[in-house]
Every structure is written in C-alpha cells, then in structure tokens.
Amino acid sequence: MSPKIDRLDQRLDKARMRIKRSEDRQVIESVFDTKTLLVLYNLINHRILNIINGCISTGKEANVYWAVQPDGTDVAIKIYRISTFNFKSITMYLEGDPRFSRIPRSRSALITAWASKEYKNLQRAVSVGVRVPKPIIVKRNVLVMEFIGEGGLPAPIMQKAKPENPEETRDILLKAISTLYHKANLVHADLSEYNVMLWNEPVIIDVSQAVLLDHPYSNQFLERDVRNILSYFRHFNIPKLDTQQTTEMIRRGELE
Ligand SMILES: Nc1ncnc2c1ncn2[C@@H]1O[C@H](COP(=O)(O)OP(=O)(O)O)[C@@H](O)[C@H]1O
Ligand SMILES: [Mg+2]
C-alpha cells in the first residue's frame, strides 16, 4: 500500500473510532462516507469535536448527532447525506439568492452550498437576536452548532410537547418571524411545530431553506409560515388570530 493511502486509512480509522456506533449498518454507511469521515477527522484534529455520540434524528436529507467537544461541551452536528440528497427539492430555495449566484453543478458542491446556507442563515438570525442554535462551524456537508437540550438529551420539538404558556410562545414566534423579515431580510420557509424546539424559550431550527426577501416566493413562504404557526396554536384556548391579517401586520412592521 502506498504511504498516501496508508495515511488516508489511518485518518478514516481515527475518525471511525470516535463515532459511537449504535445504529444499523446501512444508516452508518450512508452518512459516514469517506468524504464525511475526512471532514470529521479534520474537526477532531482541530479540537472542535472529540466524540460523536448517538444519533438524534434521521431526516430526509440530513442526520443530526449529539457530539461532545474536548472541553466537554455538548454540540449538535447536522450531517447532510451525500447519497440521498434530493437535488430538485432544494434548487428552488437557492435561486435568486445573491449569496449563491452560481448554483453548483456537482452533487457534493451543492450540498456544501446548502450546509453553508444553513450556517449563514443561523448567523443572520443570531445577529438580529432571534433564538436559534448558535452556529459553530461548517465544513462541507457537516454543520456544528449549539446543542439545544441538556446532558445529550435534546429539548422536545413543539410538535411533541405543549408550550407551558401558549399565547406567549405564539407571540414570541410571530415576533421572531417579523424580526427575521425586517432585520435579517429572511423568511424561514419551513416553519412549523416540527422546526421549533421548546427549551427555556422557543428555539427555531432547520433554516437551510430560509430565503432572502428577494426570492420570488418569499411572500408566499411568509404567509405559509404564519399559517402553520397559527394552526398549531388554534388547538389552545387562546384568542385566535387570522393568517392574512397577521401576515400583513408582520409585513407592515406592526409586530416590531
Ligand atoms: N441544535 C440542536 N440541538 C439539539 N437537537 C437538535 C438541534 N438541531 C436539530 N436537532 C434535532 O434534530 C431534528 C432534526 O433537525 P432539523 O434541523 O429539523 O433537520 P431536518 O432537515 O431533518 O428536519 C430536530 O427535530 C431536533 O430534534
Ligand atoms: Mg426539521
């Protein structure tokens, strides 16, 4: 074996050793392909990660893991799967975004752009004070961010747990939609009870598809986000809000 391949193998093994493998083999192989293992190796080498623990979620396009940094801090890592990435479903969200003026052609470049879009959108949200997981680093298809939860146990998503104070939670979320719109120039575009975690306060997640206001469908996405949030809260005994009126109020900046 050539020394180069030998070195590559050693790196892959080093990365593999830091992954606690409790899942079935197929899932593992589809997430931790060679390129992804090398990214993890680099993150381990740069002391950003120490151990990759259990899988929190296996979604359509990405898996989320609980990982630990060398100083013991929990982090979440979202790994976009190169093998099952759905090109068609995502290119429409990249269109019209000047930050991604050229839509990458190769599969792996597109995923890199997608993960980096989520990282930048998280940064934007943080910079205007909207509660999202703080982004730590993005490398290729791997995004490292603040862990929402405690002791390796993720906080529940809103679909699974009821907010203690529904009216306040709803208003925080509507205000967040408004702040993202006016101060960060962003529309989440996939907001619902599935993408809000209930921690000390509601935390909005999963912002890879969020679009800038110039996106041709940003207004439709805004209304859909508001509708999803309001329908969730319709099941609680609190004053009802109308989707169109609320969307208009947000657009006019009346919730600011
Ligand atoms: N920062 C985080 N901390 C803890 N758990 C997280 C974090 N981000 C995501 N999760 C968990 O992973 C799940 C999937 O994450 P999400 O970003 O919504 O990906 P998907 O694109 O698969 O919907 C969430 O429902 C949540 O349970
Ligand atoms: Mg999600």
Side-chain angles (χ1 to χ4, degrees):
M1 203 184 282
S2 81
K4 208 168 161 190
I5 294 180
D6 205 18
R7 242 191 353 262
L8 174 67
D9 271 345
Q10 280 173 6
R11 290 178 176 189
L12 295 176
D13 275 343
K14 186 169 174 191
R16 284 193 192 102
M17 270 162 47
R18 302 292 181 94
I19 303 169
K20 294 211 173 144
R21 301 192 153 203
S22 53
E23 308 162 58
D24 75 72
R25 237 189 116 71
Q26 241 184 340
V27 174
I28 290 170
E29 298 313 320
S30 77
V31 180
F32 300 109
D33 54 70
T34 304
K35 279 186 174 168
T36 305
L37 281 175
L38 282 177
V39 174
L40 293 175
Y41 170 81
N42 278 316
L43 293 172
I44 291 164
N45 235 15
H46 286 97
R47 301 188 55 77
I48 291 159
L49 297 179
N50 183 29
I51 294 282
I52 295 117
N53 275 323
C55 182
I56 301 173
S57 154
T58 44
K60 269 212 309 281
E61 245 113 51
N63 287 11
V64 178
Y65 287 82
W66 160 40
V68 184
Q69 299 193 296
D71 69 357
T73 308
D74 286 337
V75 289
I77 54 177
K78 187 165 180 178
I79 304 183
Y80 285 97
R81 281 192 307 272
I82 295 171
S83 56
T84 56
F85 207 73
N86 182 346
F87 268 83
K88 276 220 186 93
S89 73
I90 71 152
T91 40
M92 80 173 275
Y93 293 94
L94 285 169
E95 272 167 36
D97 190 331
R99 298 173 300 172
F100 301 97
S101 49
R102 266 183 335 113
I103 294 182
R105 295 209 165 180
S106 83
R107 230 181 153 71
S108 88
L110 189 68
I111 295 170
T112 299
W114 194 243
S116 125
K117 183 162 167 345
E118 173 141 43
Y119 180 86
K120 288 180 183 168
N121 288 340
L122 287 173
Q123 268 185 328
R124 260 177 194 250
V126 167
S127 72
V128 297
V130 169
R131 187 65 176 105
V132 295
K134 289 177 193 63
I136 296 169
I137 196 169
V138 64
K139 281 267 179 273
R140 302 189 72 113
N141 59 324
V142 178
L143 167 67
V144 183
M145 61 186 146
E146 176 194 2
F147 187 87
I148 306 299
E150 207 170 32
L153 207 66
I157 54 171
M158 202 165 72
Q159 186 257 340
K160 290 264 170 66
K162 289 196 166 41
E164 259 171 46
N165 187 339
E167 194 166 358
E168 187 189 60
T169 305
R170 180 192 66 188
D171 293 348
I172 291 175
L173 289 170
L174 292 176
K175 174 83 167 49
I177 295 176
S178 171
T179 306
L180 285 176
Y181 188 87
H182 290 283
K183 297 197 175 135
N185 216 21
L186 273 182
V187 176
H188 186 291
D190 191 23
L191 195 58
S192 73
E193 61 272 32
Y194 289 88
N195 284 330
V196 174
M197 297 180 81
L198 293 177
W199 194 218
N200 306 320
E201 53 191 324
V203 183
I204 294 176
I205 59 167
D206 206 358
V207 296
S208 55
Q209 73 296 312
V211 298
L212 297 178
L213 299 195
D214 318 331
H215 189 280
Y217 298 140
S218 65
N219 276 325
Q220 277 110 303
F221 291 149
L222 175 71
E223 186 170 328
R224 189 174 68 189
D225 285 352
V226 173
R227 181 177 309 115
N228 289 343
I229 292 300
L230 292 183
S231 353
Y232 173 84
F233 285 100
R234 227 152 254 147
H235 304 296
F236 295 90
N237 191 15
I238 57 174
K240 309 280 178 274
L241 295 177
D242 173 75
T243 298
Q244 269 175 3
Q245 272 176 1
T246 309
T247 309
E248 270 317 305
M249 283 174 71
I250 289 175
R251 251 190 226 121
R252 289 198 298 263
E254 288 169 19
L255 292 191
E256 279 306 287

